[in-house]
Amino acid sequence: MAEDVLAAIRDLAPGLRERAAEAEELRRVPDASVKELEDTGFFQLLQPRTFGGLAADPLVHYTAVKEIAKACGSTGWVASVLGVHPWHVALYDPRAQQEVWGEDPKTRIASSYAPTGRATPVDGGFRLSGRWHFSSGCDHASWALLGCLVPDADGNPVDMRTFLVPRADYRVDDVWDTVGLRGTGSNDVVVDDAFVPEHRALGFGPVTALRVPGHEINPEPLYRLPYAAVFTTTIATPIVGIAEGAYESYAAATRERFRVSYGQKVAEDPFAQVRIARAASDVDAAWLQLTRNMRELYACAERGEELPAELRVRTRRDQVLATERAVAAVDLLMENAGGNAMRTGPGPVQRAWRDAHTGRGHAANDPERALVMYGQCALGIPVHDTMA
């Protein structure tokens, strides 16, 4: 059934591509696109079977995301982010999962994980307040996952948790206006002194250690994967898809393009041919490494084995480098696309260029941090980082 979802996503691509300019104009993914994605079952790919999901092989999800991002970068980004949140909610206390999906298994969840709010411990849970930025696709969600530091009695931070908050307890502040990924609607989420019960606050410690309350009702191997691998691949995959879409658009246009300055068809220019070859190789290398690592992690989880530390940090290493390769590929193409590519308008290569560079700025794409972790592991130095 998961493969049926992937086939349906490929059928949607032309319509998503046609609405890419509309997404930029709206500064959010059009409702029609979200409805089409919902109808394919895409948002249920990583949702637990306990609540009507498919608990699918994560590579099906990431492949679907890449296909969506090829057609529209903003839609691919939002699909990737909203599509991975059911995986995270599946790690929560069963009571929290029941609250999210009990009445509507198609409920969508947004997020903003950076700990920019304030959590105050009280009897039975926490009082939560603050403003969280960059919540992609939040207009299409009715719950939010919000990161926050938890203090001790003296006010010193002692824990980092993600709080699961219903739409009634927060508002969306429309502030998203950027040069790239304009259609993601990555607005601010604002909470004013909401109560969050203990069972809707999940610490990063248990998640990193792969010992979470959700395992009680969700035994599938999908939920034995590391948070860092799942979420950073969620960020890298749409950027790789954007680059692949740019490559296909560039190659199609180049077959017909004539460069007046040199009096020749661009397709006959060996330097343009070299750029095409390099860009194609960069995109392929990025995707092959992402999929290899996730395939190996999932195979370990299916066998019930402990996930090797080297594989976990290798996944982070290759994820940040996949993003770098994808952005480099788009740059190669854009540099040779000519002056007309820079005109304001719906040009797919220019949009991909803007989208890829905007996505590159996400915290998950910090190459130095990820590469240091890999270097430490390779040298036998213990790695203490929740992003491994």
Side-chain angles (χ1 to χ4, degrees):
M1 185 158 178
E3 293 297 332
D4 294 338
V5 174
L6 184 55
I9 289 295
R10 290 186 171 121
D11 289 340
L12 291 183
L16 299 177
R17 188 175 294 110
E18 289 178 3
R19 287 193 288 270
E22 180 185 357
E24 289 206 314
E25 180 71 21
L26 293 173
R27 293 180 296 108
R28 54 177 278 176
V29 175
D31 292 341
S33 295
V34 175
K35 181 63 165 62
E36 287 179 351
L37 293 174
E38 180 182 89
D39 289 345
T40 68
F42 169 80
F43 294 114
Q44 276 68 55
L45 282 172
L46 300 187
Q47 189 166 316
R49 295 189 182 101
T50 306
F51 291 99
L54 298 174
D57 183 327
L59 284 181
V60 177
H61 168 78
Y62 293 123
T63 302
V65 167
K66 183 166 73 75
E67 293 299 314
I68 297 166
K70 281 170 59 177
C72 173
S74 288
T75 304
W77 184 277
V78 169
S80 194
V81 171
L82 294 185
V84 80
H85 292 148
W87 178 89
H88 194 183
V89 173
L91 309 183
Y92 276 70
D93 186 294
R95 290 172 292 173
Q97 297 181 53
Q98 179 65 32
E99 289 172 352
V100 172
W101 291 311
E103 294 185 4
D104 182 5
K106 292 187 176 181
T107 295
R108 290 186 294 273
I109 309 103
S111 73
S112 181
Y113 289 102
T116 57
R118 183 177 68 259
T120 303
V122 296
D123 288 344
F126 303 85
R127 303 301 306 187
L128 192 68
S129 294
R131 176 182 290 268
W132 286 261
H133 309 295
F134 310 124
S135 184
S136 299
C138 57
D139 288 318
H140 301 289
S142 51
W143 286 77
L145 292 157
L146 304 175
C148 203
L149 297 172
V150 176
D152 60 16
D154 297 323
N156 301 309
V158 293
D159 192 11
M160 168 109 174
R161 297 197 185 192
T162 304
F163 294 83
L164 186 55
V165 182
R167 186 68 177 82
D169 288 345
Y170 67 85
R171 62 181 173 85
V172 173
D173 195 358
D174 185 355
V175 298
W176 186 248
D177 189 1
T178 57
V179 296
L181 294 175
R182 283 184 58 79
T184 62
S186 302
N187 290 305
D188 288 0
V189 168
V190 183
V191 178
D192 295 316
D193 193 32
F195 174 72
V196 181
E198 176 71 33
H199 67 267
R200 284 202 262 118
L202 182 60
F204 266 83
V207 171
T208 303
L210 305 180
R211 291 190 296 271
V212 293
H215 288 167
E216 175 187 337
I217 60 171
N218 299 321
E220 297 93 342
L222 175 64
Y223 307 110
R224 269 65 179 175
L225 296 175
Y227 171 94
V230 170
F231 271 79
T232 59
T233 304
T234 292
I235 296 304
T237 296
I239 299 175
V240 174
I242 288 165
E244 187 171 324
Y247 167 77
E248 292 180 359
S249 296
Y250 176 87
T254 298
R255 294 185 187 103
E256 307 299 327
R257 184 172 155 225
F258 189 85
R259 180 173 283 152
V260 177
S261 301
Y262 298 122
Q264 71 174 156
K265 289 185 175 180
V266 177
E268 297 171 353
D269 180 356
F271 302 111
Q273 294 163 2
V274 168
R275 283 178 179 267
I276 286 174
R278 288 186 179 278
S281 179
D282 279 340
V283 173
D284 283 351
W287 183 238
L288 287 169
Q289 285 190 294
L290 287 179
T291 54
R292 178 193 68 162
N293 292 331
M294 192 55 64
R295 186 177 293 111
E296 291 187 20
L297 283 168
Y298 190 57
C300 286
E302 286 185 306
R303 294 190 297 265
E305 298 174 356
E306 183 176 351
L307 304 180
E310 190 277 336
L311 177 55
R312 292 173 72 157
V313 295
R314 191 184 82 192
T315 299
R316 285 287 284 124
R317 177 199 74 184
D318 293 342
Q319 170 262 315
V320 294
L321 293 180
T323 295
E324 283 195 352
R325 288 190 178 100
V327 173
V330 177
D331 283 347
L332 277 171
L333 302 174
M334 189 63 181
E335 288 166 3
N336 200 49
N340 284 328
M342 296 303 296
R343 296 184 187 277
T344 301
V349 177
Q350 184 207 93
R351 180 182 297 119
W353 182 63
R354 292 186 281 107
D355 288 348
H357 278 275
T358 301
R360 165 64 183 81
H362 192 283
N365 291 322
D366 181 346
E368 288 78 18
R369 181 177 296 276
L371 298 180
V372 163
M373 284 193 295
Y374 183 82
Q376 289 174 338
C377 184
L379 294 171
I381 301 171
V383 177
H384 302 291
D385 197 310
T386 58
M387 290 305 291

